[in-house]
Amino acid sequence: MIPRITTLALAALFIAAPWAVQPAAAAPPAQAAALCAGSPRGCSLETNDWLREGATFPVTVIGNANARVQVVVYLAVAPDGYLTELRPISSEAEVITNSSGVAHTEVAIPTLATVGDSGGWALVSVGGMQDSRDTLETVGQFVPFGSRVPHILGDGYGAEKPAGATLDLQFTGTIPGSRFAVDYEDDDGIWQETTATDRTQATNVPATAGRPDEISTLAYTVPRGLTSTPHKFRLRNVSDSAISPLWFATPGVDGSPEQPAEPFQPPPVGQDLTGANLTATHPQQAVVVAAGAVAGVTLILTAVGATLGLRRRGGLT
């Protein structure tokens, strides 16, 4: 009877293992390991639900006691919807957690200077991430990030636009409350505004921009009468002068339809961070693991109990 019970128990453990055991991971960054490895309270970096350039924000650090880390805000550079760089944009704020494993600090984010620093998302993490894009092994969180220069997704057409039609320009990474206009450079090299005034054909045109992680839409027109050559267009920040993102448009009859780009979706943070209980930042994962472990134990006990019952009734030899 004992070998049969052992076999069933091992089979139950094999079924439960994917839920109860986490896959092995490479070593985390040094500061993430110092804060998280073996921390009895788990570890996390907590801040506001969205950030913006030119402002200061509070950050709470939770992890091991007496851990020294630098809190850094990294801009998620994702020009085509894929993360290509984590660029530090804040002043480093060094903290040492107290005996309870908690520290409070503030991070200052200056105004950004280039078009490449458009808004969207930022990673609030520890120092040492500027040479890596592997967020699975660090601690922190992605937070919507607004800048004066938004990230343009598109207007439903490629380089060739239908002349005279009202188009809906989509963009993200805005500072809530900002106002924008669309200009074009005429054949004499003078910028002219072409934001749509008759908006009956436009959809979802906001009076002001929304949160950085929301898609804002602004209606504009490619004027008739322009030569069928590429013309410069720009999205101008009316609320706060900034470098305006540019694109080229060639007026045509029907244009070349093209779906706007998908906005960047931040990857998970800390899922492969070993030695820490990340309940503060991954509650669903923790619940799934716990539920899986309970299910595995239940399955083992059920299998063993059924085997014993059959043995007593003579149904198992």
Side-chain angles (χ1 to χ4, degrees), residues 7 16 18-19 56 60 62 71 73 77 93 107 112 167 172 191 193 201 245 257 259 261 291 305 310 312:
T7 301
W19 295 89
T56 300
T60 297
I62 300 174
V71 179
V73 178
V77 181
V107 290
L112 307 182
L167 309 181
T172 61
W191 287 103
E193 184 174 351
Q201 300 180 47
Q259 288 295 321
L310 287 172
R312 292 191 187 99

Side-chain angles (χ1 to χ4, degrees), residues 226-252:
L226 295 177
T227 58
S228 296
T229 57
H231 289 263
K232 286 182 182 179
F233 283 73
R234 69 183 182 186
L235 180 61
R236 175 167 48 90
N237 190 328
V238 178
S239 301
D240 188 349
S241 61
I243 300 173
S244 303
L246 302 174
W247 68 97
F248 285 88
T250 300

Side-chain angles (χ1 to χ4, degrees), residues 47-215:
T47 186
N48 292 8
D49 59 355
W50 65 272
L51 308 178
R52 57 158 292 175
E53 64 171 312
T56 300
F57 297 93
V59 178
T60 297
V61 180
I62 300 174
N64 283 314
N66 305 313
R68 182 192 298 269
V69 297
Q70 286 83 39
V71 179
V72 184
V73 178
Y74 301 88
L75 180 68
V77 181
D80 298 314
Y82 298 95
L83 183 64
T84 60
E85 181 186 358
L86 290 172
R87 183 180 303 165
I89 56 173
S90 69
S91 57
E92 289 189 0
E94 185 172 273
V95 298
I96 301 176
T97 56
N98 60 20
S99 58
S100 299
V102 179
H104 302 280
T105 187
E106 291 186 337
V107 290
I109 304 175
T111 55
L112 307 182
T114 66
V115 175
D117 290 337
S118 60
W121 290 86
L123 173 68
V124 181
S125 187
V126 294
M129 288 297 297
Q130 63 270 18
D131 297 323
S132 173
R133 298 194 305 273
D134 188 1
T135 60
L136 295 178
E137 296 180 347
T138 191
V139 61
Q141 59 175 309
F142 276 101
V143 182
F145 179 76
S147 75
R148 296 174 299 159
V149 178
H151 179 67
I152 293 178
L153 301 176
D155 55 19
Y157 290 89
E160 185 177 341
K161 317 283 187 185
T166 300
L167 309 181
D168 291 335
L169 182 68
Q170 296 183 6
F171 50 97
T172 61
T174 53
I175 297 173
S178 300
R179 294 177 177 271
F180 295 89
V182 175
D183 302 328
Y184 75 97
E185 190 177 53
D186 64 18
D187 293 330
D188 296 325
I190 300 173
W191 287 103
Q192 307 283 355
E193 184 174 351
T194 187
T195 309
T197 53
D198 181 6
R199 302 188 175 185
T200 57
Q201 300 180 47
T203 58
N204 300 323
V205 179
T208 56
R211 281 171 48 102
D213 54 334
E214 296 176 351
I215 296 178

